[in-house]
Amino acid sequence: MEKKQYGQGLTQQQVEESRKRHGENILTPPAKTSLWKLFFEKFEDPIIRILLVAWGLSLAIAGLHCWGPEAKGFGAFLEPIGIFFAIILAGGVAFIFEAKANKAFDILNTVSDDTEVKVIREGNISQIPKREVVVGDIVVLETGEEAPADGRLLEAVSLQINESTLTGEPVTSKTIREEDFDPEATYPSNIVMRGTTVVDGHGIFEVEQVGDATGYGKVYEGSQIENNVDTPLQIQLKGLAKVISRAGYTLAGLMFAVLTAKLLLSASALPLMDMLSQLLNIFMIAVTLIVVSVPEGLPMSVSLSLALSMNRMLKTNNLVRKMHACETMGATTVICTDKTGTLTQNQMQVHETNFYNLKKQELGDDELSRLIKEGIAVNSTAYLDLSDGKIQTLGNPTEAALLLWLNRKNEDYLALRDNAGVVEQLTFSTERKYMATLVNSPLLGKKVLYVKGAPEIVLANSRRVAMEGTLRPVAACKSLIEQQLLAYQNQAMRTLGFAYQIIETNEPDKSCFLNGRLGEDADLIFIGIAAISDPVREDVPAAVGSCLKAGIDVKIVTGDTPATAREIARRIGMWKAEDTDERNLITGPAFEALSEEEALGRIGELKIMCRARPMDKQRLVQLLQQKGAVVAVTGDGTNDAPALNAAQVGLSMGDGTSVAKEASDITILDNSFASITRAVMWGRSLYRNIQKFLLFQLTINVAACLIVLIGSLLGTESPLTITQMLWVNLIMDTFAAAALASLPPNPKVMDNKPRKSGPGGDFIISRPMTYCIFIVGLLFVVVLLALLVYFTQTEGSLSPYELSFFFTFFVMLQFWNMFNAKAFADNKPAFANIRGSKVFLWIALLILAGQYLIVTFGGVMFNVVPLSWKDWGIIFASTSIVLWIGEAIRLAKRLLQQYAPEGV
């Protein structure tokens, strides 16, 4: 039959010619970024660029100190060496963690092009690898198999295909009968698309496109277009880099001008060469001020914070591929989420049964219960895979939902199916809209005809209805049944009707079917209906509510019908009574028809886009970004890839297609929207932790800059050596970055609205932070200058002991300020939630230990001498005032919030 209808298929020569003309059936993989390029990309950070400038200037100063008149030797290169290692460490940490995440992702995203496919060639059915399929091949598809290419159907027998990877639709009926084509279908009813899977029936199609030319391939190619949208953190760090560079250059310029004027006024009679030498020294002091103004530990701290968050987010089922995505989730203002598998369980289940004569809808051992159990088990082509402890459904999802219902009732569907001998069967088809199976029933000892399908069709083929303990005419029950169906359909549920007929043993053997349909003498009894839906995940309503409370707009973007999408939105708390289709819902084709101006006006209030196609989703994301939104997109299908790539954060699902995962920044391993909400909480907490480190770091820099500036203007040398400043700016700051990055996420950040991003948005250094940095920095300078004055008044010059005391005092001021930074913005005591901050405490102890070891054993390298335990006690107690003042201020704020009149 196949040879007669489809010919011999392609010959080997035709296969080779087709492959030369149309190419191979493989997708061109995205160009992989080399490890070297990935490494050097980390140095494009704006703060690191400033650090590179500072490193170059520091090298120049070191060279002059080493080979100039002072001849300090190679010890002058300690500072540039330290800055160099700070740069390498900052880039190295980011590189190592991203490379590790990419390796894990590659394992997760492995795709095989060697799957066997059945084709007809030279008159025979043979199996070939998917990659060898060519245009013109005749491909045979069976239940459970994936279409290897795009093509036109030549035969379709009860064929149902899962197109969710391309459209979001779990089941689409396919046919070659033009009168049965679905005009609303995304792809024509006689077209099969690469990457879609047969869930029921079988078909034969002729391949028309392969590889990159397929619909799957075009979306895959579109998803690889580079997204050049800067993340909110990148924008903030660029702004911070400008502020730091301008401040450093301005201060250096002012100091150079003041010192040059002072030199010209006081030493106008100096010889030209001496004058040039003095000007060179002034220039070097100005350059030193620029170097001191750069927070060397900042790139390292940001990289470390992001890297630690990547690692910890993995434990909450978020595999982060791109480090900045950790923080960007916290800035998200809009989440465009897919429906199937993200909001719902992606597994059809029986919501409710309504078998009219079944008491409390519980299966027993009565005749009706036996009929229901056996009918569901045998009148089905689906299976359940119970092998690995987690139930997997195979075949038509709607039929599998009935088997899951039986399984929950502790009924073994397979035993029921195996014990009943199938005599005849009509599989489900789009033309009949029902399935019928005649079996020899061991439960009843008779032949039984079981029918299930579209309730209105099954009811129309029935003569009586089993209701209220009797058999009633269909006409008497039809209105009630239709009301029940309408109620389920208004909830976007699929419904199935069930009927049976017992064939008495004295009746002659004859077929129950005629011309592929039920015979005219069928005497069916309608017994009830079942409502089936893809249930909402249990944790989704609370997670969506948390996002809405946090000021994040959630939009459902799905390929499903308006009714289904609206009902899901209602169940998760998004669709309110006052919402309307005209204002809050739109279909993909209608959205495409809008002009850009009209679309920009609609998207603000839009809650649902249904019947959405790949380019509709991408356009929605880009328009939202035009309005200043920070957009996160979730998706698991190939159709989602362009939008995933266009968004600031693309979130693919763990069981999504390889194309979707390749286009994303984060993969949600458990497919749950709740994990997305946790990622937002992590992102916001991370941003706050980075702010806390900036508060700590910039306070040090302000104090250091003022000390250098005042010392230079007074003509005195800095009491802090280069190696001491390296300890403070690099090692200690790195420890502080790790300590502050280790702070656990604070769920209360979800009570706040998203920060404003982009031009004119909230700057990473807030106004309260600015006041704190300059006030605390100035106070530190005043205290340190007072200490220097005290030492110089008693001794005249600073002894090694006094320099060691001053250095330790300076470090301990920063140490206690780190605790104030920890509590900043939370308005809680610094030691609140100390059990959850064990890493912070251990690092704080490590800083103390490091300072003790440096002072005790640092000797000549750090220009220190050991201090007595009494000195340590005096320093420890006196500098801790920094913490107690901070605690007093926080207590006052809490009392003010608690007792102040409302509105004050």
Side-chain angles (χ1 to χ4, degrees):
M1 175 179 136
E2 286 154 353
K3 289 182 185 179
K4 182 179 178 182
Q5 189 172 356
Y6 311 120
Q8 302 290 314
L10 298 179
T11 64
Q12 190 57 39
Q13 183 179 349
Q14 289 172 324
V15 167
E16 296 299 330
E17 289 173 356
S18 178
R19 187 171 289 125
K20 286 179 182 177
R21 184 176 179 182
H22 301 287
E24 289 190 300
N25 189 34
I26 56 174
L27 301 178
T28 305
K32 288 286 182 184
T33 306
S34 69
L35 289 178
W36 279 111
K37 187 177 180 183
L38 190 66
F39 179 70
F40 284 115
E41 278 179 357
K42 304 305 154 201
F43 300 99
E44 294 178 4
D45 184 285
I47 302 293
I48 290 184
R49 286 181 175 176
I50 292 181
L51 209 52
L52 285 167
V53 173
W55 178 57
L57 294 173
S58 181
L59 271 177
I61 293 173
L64 288 171
H65 281 311
C66 179
W67 294 297
E70 298 177 25
K72 289 185 178 180
F74 285 98
F77 285 97
L78 282 174
E79 184 169 13
I81 289 171
I83 295 174
F84 174 77
F85 277 108
I87 295 168
I88 295 298
L89 279 172
V93 167
F95 166 73
I96 289 167
F97 275 84
E98 277 200 11
K100 181 181 176 183
N102 283 335
K103 187 176 180 181
F105 174 80
D106 288 340
I107 294 170
L108 179 71
N109 208 30
T110 302
V111 179
S112 174
D113 285 320
D114 295 323
T115 307
E116 295 290 313
V117 178
K118 293 190 287 291
V119 298
I120 299 173
R121 286 184 180 175
E122 297 184 334
N124 297 309
I125 292 183
S126 56
Q127 287 191 319
I128 62 171
K130 181 168 69 175
R131 65 169 63 243
E132 293 183 10
V133 171
V134 298
V135 172
D137 262 328
I138 308 298
V139 178
V140 180
L141 282 180
E142 304 287 349
T143 301
E145 294 178 347
E146 182 182 292
D150 293 357
R152 188 173 302 275
L153 282 167
L154 304 174
E155 179 181 300
V157 179
S158 305
L159 184 61
Q160 292 187 309
I161 286 184
N162 182 349
E163 287 187 343
S164 60
T165 57
L166 285 173
T167 66
E169 289 281 359
V171 178
T172 303
S173 296
K174 295 292 183 179
T175 180
I176 57 174
R177 291 163 53 100
E178 290 188 23
E179 58 269 29
D180 293 320
F181 283 8
D182 180 0
E184 293 186 359
T186 308
Y187 297 104
S189 297
N190 65 333
I191 295 296
V192 175
M193 304 297 291
R194 177 188 172 120
T196 59
T197 308
V198 179
V199 294
D200 198 12
H202 65 268
I204 299 174
F205 74 96
E206 181 178 355
V207 175
E208 294 184 338
Q209 283 94 25
V210 294
D212 292 336
T214 61
Y216 191 99
K218 288 173 182 175
V219 175
Y220 185 48
E221 186 178 1
S223 71
Q224 296 173 35
I225 298 171
E226 190 173 350
N227 176 10
N228 293 317
V229 178
D230 281 339
T231 68
L233 185 60
Q234 287 171 333
I235 294 169
Q236 294 282 355
L237 291 178
K238 283 180 180 178
L240 181 60
K242 287 181 182 177
V243 169
I244 291 172
S245 58
R246 285 174 184 170
Y249 295 143
T250 302
L251 280 174
L254 284 172
M255 189 175 71
F256 183 80
V258 170
L259 291 178
T260 301
K262 182 181 174 183
L263 173 66
L264 294 174
L265 291 172
S266 62
S268 55
L270 275 177
L272 179 60
M273 292 306 295
D274 290 343
M275 181 72 76
L276 290 174
S277 177
Q278 290 288 339
L279 284 172
L280 182 60
N281 284 332
I282 292 171
F283 177 75
M284 287 169 62
I285 293 169
V287 170
T288 302
L289 188 61
I290 293 172
V291 173
V292 170
S293 70
V294 177
E296 291 95 338
L298 180 57
M300 177 65 183
S301 73
V302 172
S303 296
L304 197 59
S305 297
L306 293 170
L308 288 173
S309 293
M310 277 179 75
N311 211 33
R312 292 162 75 183
M313 284 174 72
L314 183 58
K315 295 175 183 177
T316 60
N317 296 307
N318 292 282
L319 173 59
V320 181
R321 294 179 60 212
K322 299 173 184 176
M323 285 213 309
H324 280 277
C326 297
E327 184 280 328
T328 307
M329 278 305 300
T332 298
T333 58
V334 179
I335 297 177
C336 296
T337 177
D338 194 20
K339 176 187 74 70
T340 307
T342 307
L343 302 177
T344 65
Q345 297 177 19
N346 197 21
Q347 187 173 78
M348 302 298 287
Q349 294 188 28
V350 174
H351 171 75
E352 189 174 77
T353 58
N354 203 339
F355 295 111
Y356 303 119
N357 282 343
L358 187 65
K359 293 181 180 179
K360 296 182 180 180
Q361 302 301 302
E362 291 295 332
L363 296 174
D365 199 37
D366 55 285
E367 182 176 277
L368 179 59
S369 293
R370 292 199 296 269
L371 285 167
I372 292 170
K373 289 187 285 188
E374 187 175 68
I376 289 174
V378 301
N379 193 29
S380 172
T381 58
Y383 288 87
L384 299 181
D385 181 1
L386 309 172
S387 58
D388 61 355
K390 184 181 178 182
I391 300 176
Q392 300 288 333
T393 60
L394 307 173
N396 185 291
T398 307
E399 289 191 338
L402 295 170
L403 299 184
L404 285 170
W405 181 76
L406 271 187
N407 187 71
R408 287 199 299 273
K409 302 286 185 183
N410 297 316
E411 299 290 345
D412 186 348
Y413 83 94
L414 205 52
L416 290 165
R417 186 180 292 179
D418 291 341
N419 291 335
V422 176
V423 180
E424 288 184 289
Q425 188 172 74
L426 285 177
T427 57
F428 180 87
S429 72
T430 53
E431 295 82 17
R432 285 190 299 269
K433 298 190 186 317
Y434 63 80
M435 178 178 181
T437 305
L438 178 66
V439 300
N440 286 313
S441 171
L443 297 181
L444 300 176
K446 302 175 182 178
K447 287 182 181 178
V448 182
L449 174 64
Y450 294 107
V451 179
K452 77 164 187 300
E456 62 275 13
I457 303 297
V458 176
L459 187 63
N461 281 281
S462 300
R463 295 187 181 178
R464 290 164 293 169
V465 178
M467 185 178 287
E468 297 179 355
T470 62
L471 295 178
R472 304 174 64 182
V474 169
C477 308
K478 189 174 182 181
S479 176
L480 175 63
I481 294 171
E482 287 176 346
Q483 286 177 21
Q484 292 171 346
L485 291 174
L486 182 62
Y488 289 132
Q489 287 161 4
N490 285 339
Q491 297 178 63
M493 293 184 184
R494 298 181 185 183
T495 51
L496 286 175
F498 299 85
Y500 75 95
Q501 176 184 347
I502 295 177
I503 311 297
E504 298 297 336
T505 53
N506 57 358
E507 292 185 27
D509 287 338
K510 64 176 182 178
S511 174
C512 292
F513 310 132
L514 181 65
N515 297 325
R517 293 184 178 273
L518 289 168
E520 293 181 1
D521 57 348
D523 186 19
L524 294 177
I525 299 172
F526 191 85
I527 57 174
I529 56 180
I532 296 171
S533 66
D534 182 6
V536 169
R537 288 175 175 268
E538 290 182 5
D539 54 2
V540 164
V544 170
S546 179
C547 283
L548 295 175
K549 183 181 176 184
I552 300 171
D553 190 14
V554 180
K555 300 182 188 295
I556 297 176
V557 186
T558 177
D560 224 322
T561 63
T564 301
R566 193 188 306 109
E567 176 59 21
I568 294 298
R570 186 191 64 79
R571 288 190 207 167
I572 64 176
M574 277 179 56
W575 193 267
K576 306 298 181 184
E578 63 271 16
D579 291 329
T580 63
D581 287 1
E582 292 76 18
R583 193 175 77 250
N584 305 109
L585 183 147
I586 197 169
T587 64
F591 185 67
E592 183 186 31
L594 296 177
S595 67
E596 185 157 321
E597 187 177 345
E598 291 171 330
L600 283 168
R602 280 291 307 272
I603 59 176
E605 293 184 307
L606 191 66
K607 290 188 175 183
I608 298 171
M609 180 186 287
C610 48
R611 293 296 188 195
R613 297 156 299 182
M615 295 304 112
D616 299 327
K617 296 183 182 184
Q618 186 182 37
R619 185 188 182 207
L620 175 63
V621 171
Q622 290 168 339
L623 289 172
L624 286 166
Q625 288 171 339
Q626 280 185 38
K627 295 192 76 172
V630 178
V631 186
V633 172
T634 76
D636 59 355
T638 301
N639 59 317
D640 300 313
L644 287 168
N645 186 59
Q648 278 98 337
V649 183
L651 300 144
S652 62
M653 300 298 114
D655 60 0
T657 66
S658 59
V659 177
K661 286 184 278 192
E662 192 71 53
S664 67
D665 305 297
I666 299 176
T667 298
I668 309 297
L669 299 178
D670 64 352
N671 296 0
S672 174
F673 192 90
S675 292
I676 298 168
T677 307
R678 285 195 294 271
V680 173
M681 181 185 70
W682 271 103
R684 291 189 176 187
S685 297
L686 171 62
Y687 184 76
R688 184 170 287 188
N689 288 347
I690 291 174
Q691 283 186 309
K692 290 176 179 180
F693 176 77
L694 282 171
L695 179 72
F696 169 81
Q697 165 84 80
L698 294 179
T699 302
I700 296 177
N701 279 76
V702 166
C705 280
L706 288 174
I707 288 171
V708 170
L709 183 62
I710 293 169
S712 302
L713 293 173
L714 296 176
T716 61
E717 288 190 10
S718 172
L720 296 173
T721 65
I722 289 173
T723 50
Q724 289 172 356
M725 285 304 296
L726 282 175
W727 159 250
V728 172
N729 279 344
L730 297 180
I731 312 303
M732 184 178 167
D733 286 357
T734 300
F735 285 147
L740 294 168
S742 72
L743 295 176
N746 184 357
K748 288 193 174 181
V749 297
M750 296 300 286
D751 295 338
N752 304 324
K753 301 298 180 187
R755 69 178 190 272
K756 296 176 183 176
S757 301
D762 298 333
F763 188 43
I764 194 167
I765 308 294
S766 64
R767 185 171 293 178
M769 286 176 66
T770 305
Y771 292 151
C772 190
I773 288 166
F774 282 101
I775 291 172
V776 174
L778 282 168
L779 288 175
F780 282 0
V781 170
V782 170
V783 171
L784 290 168
L785 288 177
L787 186 62
L788 284 175
V789 170
Y790 171 76
F791 283 149
T792 52
Q793 279 182 346
T794 55
E795 297 290 336
S797 62
L798 296 177
S799 65
Y801 162 78
E802 290 167 338
L803 286 170
S804 299
F805 193 100
F806 182 87
F807 169 49
T808 305
F809 194 91
F810 179 76
V811 169
M812 290 307 298
L813 284 175
Q814 314 307 330
F815 173 80
W816 292 117
N817 195 43
M818 184 173 72
F819 286 85
N820 283 335
K822 172 184 178 290
F824 186 79
D826 297 333
N827 209 21
K828 289 182 178 180
F831 290 95
N833 190 26
I834 206 66
R835 289 186 178 180
S837 308
K838 289 180 180 177
V839 175
F840 179 89
L841 281 180
W842 278 111
I843 293 174
L845 291 173
L846 190 61
I847 291 172
L848 272 180
Q851 182 64 22
Y852 175 78
L853 291 173
I854 285 173
V855 172
T856 306
F857 303 106
V860 177
M861 182 177 180
F862 283 91
N863 195 28
V864 289
V865 296
L867 297 175
S868 67
W869 286 109
K870 180 183 176 182
D871 293 329
W872 278 103
I874 292 170
I875 293 170
F876 195 84
S878 58
T879 54
S880 68
I881 294 173
V882 172
L883 173 62
W884 306 127
I885 292 173
E887 290 290 83
I889 293 170
R890 285 187 286 276
L891 176 61
K893 285 182 179 178
R894 289 197 299 276
L895 291 173
L896 190 64
Q897 288 175 352
Q898 187 174 354
Y899 296 109
E902 193 172 339
V904 175

